[in-house]
Every structure is written in structure tokens, then in C-alpha cells.
Amino acid sequence: MLSKRIIPCLDVKEGRTVKGVNFINLRDAGDAIELGALYAEQGADELVFLDITATVEKRKTLVDLVRNVARQINIPFTVGGGISSIQDASAVLNAGADKVSINSSAVKKPDLVDQLAREFGSQFVVVAIDTKSMNGKNFVHTHGGRTPTSIETEPWADEVEKRGAGEILLTSMDHDGTKAGFANELTAKISTKLNIPVIASGGAGKKEHFVDVFTTGAADAALAASIFHFGEIPVPELKQFLHEKGINMRIE
Amino acid sequence: MNIVIVKYNAGNVVSVTNTLNRLGVEPMHSDDPETIKRADKVIFPGVGEASTAMNYLRKQGLDKVLTDLHQPFLGICLGLQLMCKHSEENDTDCLGIFDLQVKRFSNGLKVPQIGWNLLENLNSPIFIDLPEHPYIYFVHSYFAEIGNETIATSNYSDKFSAALHKDNYYAVQGHPEKSGKTGQKIIENFLKL
């Protein structure tokens, strides 16, 4: 049986890992490659590297970082942040990335999803959706969560699947940084409706939250950052806990 | 050791190269028939679409070359599918090394299958020194059915061929180059054949 995935996310700025609360107030959490290698060794199922400043500063994703990560890490990893063209995606693919995550650029130019899927295959294309509820509805936000749009989250998820996205990385800004649990209801709605995997993100604070997101939230994978970076919940301990709770986990 | 990775514009050869480098091997990438024929071992990785890949192989005359090799040969992911007889993906005739059909998952589960799944019924020297049911990372929408050449199975609602073997030809559906220590061991075992 396919196991559920635990994915540490490394928010990278100038080669260092940082993690903010609600996307601001960055705290340094160490060298990105060292941390990534540690997580791989500990049994993380995948890694995500997000260059969190890339979109805002119009910088290209750090191809060198990707190359170094690929040399040292033998589990799959996704790279995101400022990827806005076939050329950007091709550069990180050739440096060794397994997937790209696109967010603001997909909202700005939805056809990019189709183009990337055609050129590199759906398995290469993760569409990240930052969502926030306003007046009882969920809206897509871009630029690291700074810019609200008038696009509603659920129809947007449907649309990117139709355009060829291979996975959705759903980050609830209402939950991110709160450590009060994932957005289980919204994750479940999207995950059960779509025919592609959904990675839930935002709100992990304790091990039980992961049980909830895999059961109530119907997530295929769960992503978190600070709880791993600051050693609050080590990856092996989390996976063992989930395994004991009957969640299908890769334990080696 | 002279290892050649077949270059055919399908997918990510960087990861396979990196894994080989970690094992102390520097592979060549080539689509030149003579270079491929002379190799000690040939690796045929792939991520992409079947008909595009087959068209490229035929245009380069590689379809004939790849089916007439005698050294150990390892197909990975799309590589495995292309080594079968026919793929449902754009109704593509493939290399026919394995007399098997490649079908699309149509069992109501999410497609592609993305993630770590168990290998079962292991029966090959390429799986020496692995746990009884190791996990491998998979990313695929199509699968080879079970046949006499199946040397490992996996289950994604349907049971499918996770690995195949015939004569000098080996193939795995998952990505050993992305499967941590388990995957590295499979590649190491292949290098020892």
C-alpha cells in the first residue's frame, strides 16, 4: 500500500533555512543542505525547498543550491520560489530537482501549468496554493501570502488539476504558524474531490495534528517546517507515532 | 567500470548520475549505438511520455540497438514501460523485451501514484541484502501487468509488476535513485551483476 508522506519544508533565503511565523519575522534555522540531508537520513519521505524571497525580489531560484542538494540527498525534492517560465523550470530540472512548485506565477499565467505539464510531465508540476478565509470564503493569495486575489480556492484547485498539475500543496494561512492544527475541513474537501495528491501545510504543532490531517483531512502528505527545524518533533518519532496510530508510514 | 546511461531526452538523468557518483562510478551519457554496445552495463532511465520517447529511440536507431544487447541492462520507470510490448499511453508500440502490456491505473485511486510503496515477492539478485518488504519511491500513471518475467510486485489497488527480468534485461518501475539507502542498494547490486 502507498504510504502517507511526511515532508519537511525548508524555506531558504540566501542558502540558509529560515522559518517565519505567518510568513514574516524570519528566524535562522541553519544550513539548508545540512538540514535536508539530516531529514533524509531520519526518514523524511520528501523535501521541499522554497526560496521564499524569490518572487518578491524577482530573483531566480538558486540553481546552485539545487545542484548541491541533488548531489547529497537521495530522496525526492521539490523546488519553488520565483519559477515563472519553462526556462526556469528546465534549469532546476537539469540541476537535479524532481519537481517544481509554482504559486504566484500560476495565478498570473495559468497557462504555465499546462506548458510545464506538457514539457516535463504532470509528475514534475506541483501547484502551491496559499489560501486564507475572508467572510466565510477561501481565497487564493500570492507573493508569499502578501497579495490577496479574488480567486476562490476550491475552483482554483479544480482548474489547476485540469491544466495538468500533478500535485497540490495547500497552505492555509489561517493555520500557518499557529501550531493549532491543519485546515482539515478544506483539505478534505479538495483532496476527496480531486484525483491528484494533496499535500497539506500550515498549522502543525503536535503529533496528533498529523493523525487528524491524514484521517479527517484526507491528505496524501503533510508538510511542516519549524516543528522539525527546532527539534520539537523529530521526524522518526513522528513517523513511529503515526504508524502506531494505524497511519500507513514508511518505517525502515 | 564503463557504465552508459542512455540519452534519449526523457527525464532526469541527474539523479541517476548522482547515485552512481556516490557509489564511486562516473557514467557516460550517450545515444551513440557503438558507445552503448561497448558499455559494461547500460542504464535506461526515464521520466516522460511513451510515444515521444519511442519516436526518439526509433529516429536514432536505438530501438534495434537496445533490444540486441548482451551486457546487464537496467530500465527505470518509463524505461521499464518502454521495454514492454505495448503501452496504453498514446497507444504506443514499445521495445517488446518483455511480452507485457502497460496499462493506465483506472481503479479510482489518485493518478499518478506518487510516493513510497512496498515491494513484495522479491526474487532477483538485484534485491540481495534488502528487507523482505522494502519501500521504493514511485511516480507513475501507467504500470506493467504481472507476468512470468515479474521479479517483484507492488500494489496500488491493482497488483502490478514493480520489477521485471529476462536474460540480461532488468527493470524497475520505482525510482531507486530516489529511494534512499534501499534504492542505492538496488543500483549497487545491479553494478555487481
Side-chain angles (χ1 to χ4, degrees):
Chain A
M1 238 177 103
L2 186 68
S3 69
K4 302 282 190 183
R5 288 171 280 157
I6 297 295
I7 309 179
C9 176
L10 293 90
D11 292 343
V12 180
K13 190 181 179 188
E14 287 142 20
R16 305 283 294 175
T17 317
V18 289
K19 174 59 193 173
V21 175
N22 290 327
F23 289 81
I24 37 174
N25 297 330
L26 304 176
R27 276 202 287 168
D28 197 325
D31 179 81
I33 298 167
E34 260 174 46
L35 252 183
L38 174 71
Y39 293 139
E41 185 66 26
Q42 289 183 334
D45 297 303
E46 278 184 54
L47 298 171
V48 171
F49 292 87
L50 288 182
D51 188 343
I52 53 170
T53 55
T55 305
V56 171
E57 296 175 6
K58 306 285 175 204
R59 249 189 318 105
K60 297 301 178 191
T61 303
L62 305 170
V63 171
D64 283 345
L65 176 78
V66 173
R67 193 170 291 120
N68 289 326
V69 169
R71 279 199 192 116
Q72 296 189 37
I73 292 174
N74 56 7
I75 60 168
F77 70 97
T78 302
V79 179
I83 289 165
S84 56
S85 67
I86 295 282
Q87 289 77 8
D88 293 343
S90 179
V92 296
L93 173 72
N94 291 328
D98 299 287
K99 312 175 194 182
V100 290
S101 162
I102 54 170
N103 186 338
S104 306
S105 56
V107 173
K108 195 172 159 193
K109 202 171 60 171
D111 196 43
L112 180 64
V113 181
D114 308 61
Q115 288 172 16
L116 289 172
R118 254 199 317 272
E119 185 74 20
F120 306 110
S122 287
Q123 85 293 330
F124 184 64
V125 187
V126 180
V127 174
I129 303 177
D130 292 340
T131 178
K132 190 175 182 178
S133 93
M134 293 188 295
N135 304 322
K137 286 182 172 176
N138 294 298
F139 290 94
V140 176
H141 284 58
T142 60
H143 299 89
R146 290 171 186 82
T147 312
T149 72
S150 58
I151 303 166
E152 285 195 55
T153 302
E154 289 168 60
W156 176 237
D158 290 348
E159 182 178 341
V160 298
E161 178 184 31
K162 286 192 187 79
R163 288 180 177 275
E167 283 178 282
I168 286 175
L169 167 54
L170 183 70
T171 301
S172 166
M173 297 176 57
D174 303 306
H175 296 72
D176 197 61
T178 64
K179 302 202 173 208
F182 292 91
N184 296 319
E185 195 186 332
L186 181 62
T187 304
K189 262 188 179 168
I190 292 175
S191 186
T192 50
K193 182 160 184 227
L194 300 192
N195 195 36
I196 55 176
V198 173
I199 304 162
S201 156
K206 44 184 195 179
K207 290 180 276 190
E208 288 77 7
H209 293 154
F210 290 85
V211 178
D212 296 342
V213 80
F214 288 133
T215 53
T216 316
D220 299 284
L223 178 143
S226 57
I227 57 154
F228 298 133
H229 303 335
F230 295 106
E232 292 162 36
I233 306 178
V235 173
E237 189 184 314
L238 174 62
K239 291 185 75 171
Q240 188 59 38
F241 177 82
L242 292 171
H243 171 69
E244 283 161 16
K245 293 286 174 192
I247 310 284
N248 211 2
M249 282 281 124
R250 175 180 69 114
I251 309 270
E252 289 185 322
Chain B
M1 200 171 357
N2 173 15
I3 307 288
V4 172
I5 298 178
V6 180
K7 191 165 100 181
Y8 64 113
N9 292 345
N12 188 349
V13 296
V14 185
S15 306
V16 177
T17 305
N18 284 334
T19 301
L20 291 169
N21 288 163
R22 280 192 285 268
L23 292 167
V25 176
E26 189 58 61
M28 287 169 63
H29 302 119
S30 180
D31 57 4
D32 169 51
E34 289 311 312
T35 306
I36 293 171
K37 284 182 200 165
R38 277 198 310 270
D40 295 324
K41 293 190 171 69
V42 178
I43 299 182
F44 184 49
V47 175
E49 190 275 317
S51 67
T52 310
M54 278 309 301
N55 286 340
Y56 183 85
L57 292 174
R58 287 201 184 94
K59 203 177 76 192
Q60 302 287 323
L62 286 175
D63 52 333
K64 303 275 191 313
V65 175
L66 297 184
T67 49
D68 192 31
L69 293 172
H70 303 286
Q71 65 274 62
F73 182 101
L74 179 67
I76 296 173
C77 195
L78 179 65
L80 174 144
Q81 297 174 10
L82 297 178
M83 289 161 76
C84 293
K85 196 176 179 61
H86 178 269
S87 173
E88 277 184 6
E89 189 172 20
N90 290 318
D91 192 13
T92 304
D93 285 328
C94 301
L95 297 170
I97 294 164
F98 305 117
D99 189 18
L100 292 171
Q101 298 292 323
V102 174
K103 298 173 175 172
R104 189 177 163 87
F105 285 119
S106 57
N107 46 23
L109 296 182
K110 293 183 176 185
V111 179
Q113 167 175 230
I114 298 181
W116 298 80
N117 205 336
L118 288 173
L119 296 187
E120 296 175 292
N121 305 308
L122 304 184
N123 177 23
S124 168
I126 65 168
F127 300 127
I128 284 171
D129 292 336
L130 290 186
E132 193 183 349
H133 296 139
Y135 277 97
I136 293 288
Y137 189 81
F138 288 89
V139 182
H140 62 133
S141 301
Y142 295 82
F143 66 94
E145 56 186 9
I146 305 273
N148 293 334
E149 294 137 338
T150 302
I151 53 168
T153 64
S154 194
N155 204 321
Y156 191 55
S157 182
D158 296 320
K159 208 171 177 188
F160 64 91
S161 284
L164 296 164
H165 170 226
K166 184 187 180 186
D167 304 327
N168 56 316
Y169 290 97
Y170 295 80
V172 287
Q173 177 62 66
H175 288 273
E177 76 280 14
K178 282 284 149 190
S179 298
K181 285 180 204 141
T182 296
Q184 184 155 315
K185 189 75 206 168
I186 292 172
I187 293 186
E188 201 181 335
N189 288 338
F190 170 73
L191 294 180
K192 285 182 189 159
L193 289 175

